Amino acid sequence: MENFEYIKNNLFRYEFISNLVNDKIFDHQKNMSTTYHSAKILLENNSKEIFSCNDIKSNKIMSRRTNNEGNIILEMKEINFFQSYFDNIISFEIINKENIKQYFELYSNLLKENGTLILLVPNKEKMIIKNEINFD
């Protein structure tokens, strides 16, 4: 029952942000069981293509977009071709104090200039970041 509640809450988050994002979105989430439904929510709200993955090390990424009939098309793509490609990045509960620098560097490489990064971090430890991170 706990997993169902997590999925329900996760999909609520996508409904909440769906009007804040558009065009090409990188959806970095740890729960791959919700990627279809989260992509569907975002595609129904003016997003053109949703890229999802939970393991950046694999260099494979799922791409979902709608065709002319409104069907969702799934393709596998290589992530190394996406330098400054995404208009938005969504990262729900991926970043923690051990990997923050790694993921901010990744996101800064993938995100277009003036793109939007939407983060949700775990609050179990009341994570506080005291060091400033410089990506220049």
Side-chain angles (χ1 to χ4, degrees):
M1 192 62 156
E2 184 177 312
N3 194 34
F4 173 75
E5 202 60 35
Y6 174 80
I7 291 170
K8 182 177 151 185
N9 288 335
N10 201 39
L11 293 177
F12 174 79
R13 294 171 185 156
Y14 285 93
E15 289 284 350
F16 181 78
I17 66 164
S18 64
N19 64 344
L20 303 175
V21 295
N22 56 24
D23 294 327
K24 295 179 180 133
I25 300 171
F26 176 51
D27 181 18
H28 193 195
Q29 58 175 294
K30 66 180 182 178
N31 189 347
M32 292 306 287
S33 63
T34 61
T35 57
Y36 172 81
H37 294 290
S38 58
K40 185 174 186 284
I41 290 167
L42 297 171
L43 288 168
E44 289 171 348
N45 289 282
N46 299 321
S47 295
K48 294 180 181 169
E49 193 167 13
I50 314 301
F51 297 81
S52 304
C53 82
N54 67 343
D55 183 10
I56 283 299
K57 295 173 189 163
S58 72
N59 283 338
K60 295 284 186 185
I61 189 168
M62 286 186 289
S63 164
R64 287 186 172 91
R65 59 184 170 75
T66 54
N67 63 11
N68 293 336
E69 293 83 37
N71 298 318
I72 295 177
I73 306 299
L74 173 67
E75 298 175 303
M76 293 301 289
K77 296 185 178 181
E78 297 284 330
I79 197 169
N80 54 352
F81 297 113
F82 296 115
Q83 194 78 6
S84 300
Y85 184 77
F86 298 103
D87 300 286
N88 306 276
I89 295 177
I90 301 168
S91 177
F92 287 162
E93 298 181 357
I94 296 289
I95 292 179
N96 59 50
K97 61 185 174 187
E98 285 84 30
N99 64 18
I100 189 166
K101 185 172 181 171
Q102 169 195 357
Y103 284 122
F104 270 104
E105 287 174 355
L106 172 70
Y107 296 158
S108 68
N109 287 330
L110 296 176
L111 197 59
K112 286 181 181 177
E113 188 173 330
N114 298 319
T116 302
L117 173 61
I118 298 175
L119 292 174
L120 176 69
V121 295
N123 194 20
K124 293 178 183 165
E125 301 173 24
K126 298 188 188 231
M127 184 173 80
I128 298 174
I129 300 167
K130 296 180 181 179
N131 298 327
E132 184 176 314
I133 299 174
N134 185 358
F135 296 108
D136 294 330

